[in-house]
Amino acid sequence: VCFFLPPKGLGLDQKPLGLNISNENQDNRPSTTTRLYKRRWVMVFLFSCYSLCNAFQWIQYGIINNIFMKFYNVDSFTIDWMSMVYMLTYIPFIWPVSWLLDKKGLRLIALMATAINCLGTWIKVASVRSNLFWVTMLGQFASSLSQVFILGMPSRLASVWFGSEEVSTACSIGVFGNQLGIAIGFLVPPILVPNVDNIDELAYHISIMFYITAGVATVIFILVVFMFQEKPEIPPTLAQVQARSIPPEDYSYMASILRLLRNLPFMLLVISYGLNVGCFYAVSTLLNRMIIEHYPGEEVNAGRIGLTIVIAGMVGSLICGIWLDKTKTYKQTTLAVYLLSFVGMVVYAFTLNLGHLWVVFVTSGALGFFMTGYLPLGFEFAVELTFPECEGTSSGLLNCSAQIFGIIFTIGQGKIIEHFGTFAGNIFLCVFLLIGTIMTAFIKSDLRRQKANHLAETQVASVSIFVSAIWCQR
């Protein structure tokens, strides 16, 4: 049993909260080698902010697809690529970024994410002319590159900074920022950029949107430079104590990748996660086209429907995260939410063309609650199945799968909508969600992180009993 004093030079904002095995403060009991710091909430808040700013840019073109087609004089498929570039960029760049996260840690990744994101926003400011589509595409590419440094962070940040009883909730908060950014991306562009015929007036509205985005990205970059910290001085959980005890020279990134690829339950999760999130990417990218086809002139309501999808998903994410922290029922919860995502997609497909917008709002909200709420479940289930592998590596594989399926589904559904209509396009996605549900049912629930925490707690408790027995004999 070890006894620790607060580290020298610890600031007031770094005042540790003493923990015993159950993460509660109790007097006259020896503390373990774990601490929770109040600063952990600052870390997850900063991450959520720059994730929000980046996610907003993913959908800001697609949700007013018809307006940007008119301004830059390009076709619909070209504007679709403004969203799909986020997916395409992720696939080759996730491997070096995951290696950097393993070797250099959270702070460098956060700095690079915010710096590249800030650069992308200012490039877009310079692109507000009808003949400068290539410049706005360059800015969007920079923003998509920034996303590579963001998507794999929530589970790693939660593991490094948060206790075992709050790690799933923390991961959900991290994902929450990304979802909120998408929600704002659905809501704000149709309001800031109305569908007017005068190109000069349109350029003015677009520039306002780009300047606001650039200003927010710059402020967030400055905050991260001065406030984002690598890790707490004392780890928050016994699982992190174990992870820190592994010498760097004993860790091989390629060996870790190979172990993950041989982990059958994890690989099933990788494919099923990609199917679910890929469907969400396709629905989000093509939402404007689907709504406008059945409800002409409703660009603003298309944005509001997208907002409804994501806001409902944010609520679902937080509820699922809290539920996991309380119950640890990873597979059961993941399977239930996946099945309900499939049901929600079927209902959405059959009600989109009924001619009643309020019905679309209701069905979209139900779809978003489960489909978007699934995101943190996949991250946390992956960490459980792959512990003690780096959380960034497992999350990277999940997201890589999602980007690949996202591109395939977006192009496939877009072509089906073009030739056969929105109903056929949505049924196309329903088929793959059903396949993903069946695959999830076959995932073996091997909760390695929970086992590691339980084993460490048992060992420390045994030592505590042994020490107490010796003192009693004295």
Side-chain angles (χ1 to χ4, degrees):
V1 179
C2 301
F3 298 85
F4 282 83
L5 294 174
K8 292 181 179 179
L10 200 61
L12 290 177
D13 63 333
Q14 292 263 330
K15 185 178 179 181
L17 308 178
L19 298 179
N20 63 14
I21 293 301
S22 63
N23 287 341
E24 298 174 354
N25 292 320
Q26 298 183 13
D27 296 332
N28 302 321
R29 291 193 183 185
S31 61
T32 69
T33 57
T34 63
R35 291 285 189 274
L36 285 182
Y37 293 83
K38 294 178 181 178
R39 193 179 180 86
R40 69 194 187 279
W41 299 110
V42 177
M43 298 300 104
V44 76
F45 174 75
L46 284 175
F47 170 77
S48 295
C49 286
Y50 69 75
S51 179
L52 179 155
C53 182
N54 183 262
F56 167 83
Q57 297 172 75
W58 169 58
I59 204 65
Q60 71 178 154
Y61 292 91
I63 196 57
I64 47 175
N65 182 295
N66 55 322
I67 295 175
F68 276 109
M69 285 170 57
K70 176 169 57 180
F71 182 75
Y72 286 113
N73 194 27
V74 294
D75 60 19
S76 178
F77 187 65
T78 302
I79 299 299
D80 288 345
W81 271 108
M82 299 299 283
S83 297
M84 288 192 289
V85 70
Y86 264 61
M87 308 173 205
L88 184 64
T89 304
Y90 190 89
I91 298 167
F93 285 102
I94 183 54
W95 312 110
V97 170
S98 293
W99 179 85
L100 270 177
L101 180 60
D102 289 350
K103 294 295 183 181
K104 302 299 181 180
L106 292 171
R107 178 170 167 80
L108 177 64
I109 296 299
L111 288 172
M112 294 187 71
T114 50
I116 298 171
N117 186 61
C118 184
L119 175 64
T121 60
W122 285 107
I123 291 175
K124 291 177 190 178
V125 167
S127 72
V128 190
R129 285 171 53 186
S130 295
N131 62 335
L132 293 180
F133 178 77
W134 68 272
V135 178
T136 206
M137 175 57 90
L138 179 63
Q140 188 74 342
F141 170 74
S143 299
S144 71
L145 183 59
S146 170
Q147 179 216 215
V148 184
F149 294 85
I150 294 172
L151 286 188
M153 285 271 283
S155 55
R156 177 65 179 270
L157 184 68
S159 295
V160 168
W161 279 93
F162 287 82
S164 59
E165 298 301 318
E166 57 190 15
V167 66
S168 296
T169 303
C171 183
S172 297
I173 294 172
V175 175
F176 181 93
N178 185 271
Q179 294 171 334
L180 183 58
I182 297 172
I184 297 172
F186 277 124
L187 178 66
V188 172
I191 296 173
L192 291 180
V193 187
N195 190 6
V196 296
D197 293 327
N198 187 293
I199 296 298
D200 291 334
E201 185 181 351
L202 198 55
Y204 169 77
H205 291 299
I206 292 173
S207 67
I208 291 296
M209 179 173 69
F210 285 166
Y211 269 113
I212 292 173
T213 309
V216 171
T218 304
V219 171
I220 292 172
F221 172 61
I222 294 170
L223 289 174
V224 168
V225 168
F226 289 102
M227 299 183 66
F228 199 91
Q229 186 176 322
E230 172 65 32
K231 60 185 178 183
E233 295 186 43
I234 299 173
T237 62
L238 295 169
Q240 273 297 300
V241 173
Q242 177 184 340
R244 289 195 191 185
S245 67
I246 301 174
E249 59 272 14
D250 291 350
Y251 177 78
S252 168
Y253 178 66
M254 288 308 300
S256 176
I257 292 288
L258 292 175
R259 285 193 297 270
L260 290 175
L261 294 177
R262 290 194 295 266
N263 185 332
L264 181 59
F266 174 66
M267 292 312 298
L268 285 173
L269 179 63
V270 166
I271 297 172
S272 61
Y273 181 91
L275 292 172
N276 188 301
V277 181
C279 288
F280 169 70
Y281 288 163
V283 169
S284 299
T285 302
L286 302 173
L287 183 64
N288 175 269
R289 288 171 61 181
M290 289 190 282
I291 298 300
I292 294 301
E293 179 173 326
H294 296 289
Y295 306 93
E298 295 288 355
E299 290 91 354
V300 173
N301 273 322
R304 290 170 179 166
I305 290 169
L307 174 70
T308 302
I309 291 174
V310 182
I311 292 294
M314 290 159 56
V315 176
S317 294
L318 288 176
I319 291 175
C320 289
I322 294 170
W323 174 259
L324 284 185
D325 279 332
K326 298 294 183 183
T327 66
K328 308 300 181 186
T329 53
Y330 288 87
K331 178 181 175 178
Q332 298 91 323
T333 306
T334 302
L335 179 59
V337 171
Y338 210 123
L339 177 61
L340 291 169
S341 297
F342 164 69
V343 173
M345 190 69 212
V346 172
V347 174
Y348 172 80
F350 278 90
T351 57
L352 180 61
N353 61 353
L354 293 182
H356 302 290
L357 264 176
W358 69 268
V359 175
V360 181
F361 273 96
V362 172
T363 57
S364 298
L367 174 64
F369 183 88
F370 297 110
M371 184 177 281
T372 315
Y374 173 81
L375 297 177
L377 293 179
F379 282 142
E380 283 301 293
F381 197 15
V383 173
E384 292 292 338
L385 293 174
T386 60
F387 184 84
E389 307 296 346
C390 176
E391 298 87 349
T393 307
S394 60
S395 297
L397 286 171
L398 288 180
N399 285 317
C400 188
S401 172
Q403 312 309 316
I404 292 171
F405 283 114
I407 293 173
I408 294 171
F409 290 164
T410 302
I411 295 175
Q413 188 187 20
K415 294 299 182 183
I416 292 172
I417 289 174
E418 188 177 321
H419 292 93
F420 303 103
T422 57
F423 179 76
N426 288 324
I427 293 299
F428 167 76
L429 297 183
C430 291
V431 171
F432 287 100
L433 284 174
L434 178 60
I435 294 171
T437 302
I438 295 170
M439 293 181 69
T440 302
F442 283 98
I443 297 175
K444 180 183 177 182
S445 185
D446 181 17
L447 307 182
R448 299 181 180 183
R449 182 173 62 179
Q450 297 303 316
K451 291 176 182 176
N453 273 322
H454 180 70
L455 178 61
E457 290 173 2
T458 302
Q459 290 173 341
V460 173
S462 298
V463 173
S464 298
I465 293 171
F466 177 72
V467 171
S468 298
I470 291 176
W471 278 102
C472 288
Q473 289 176 1
R474 290 182 178 182

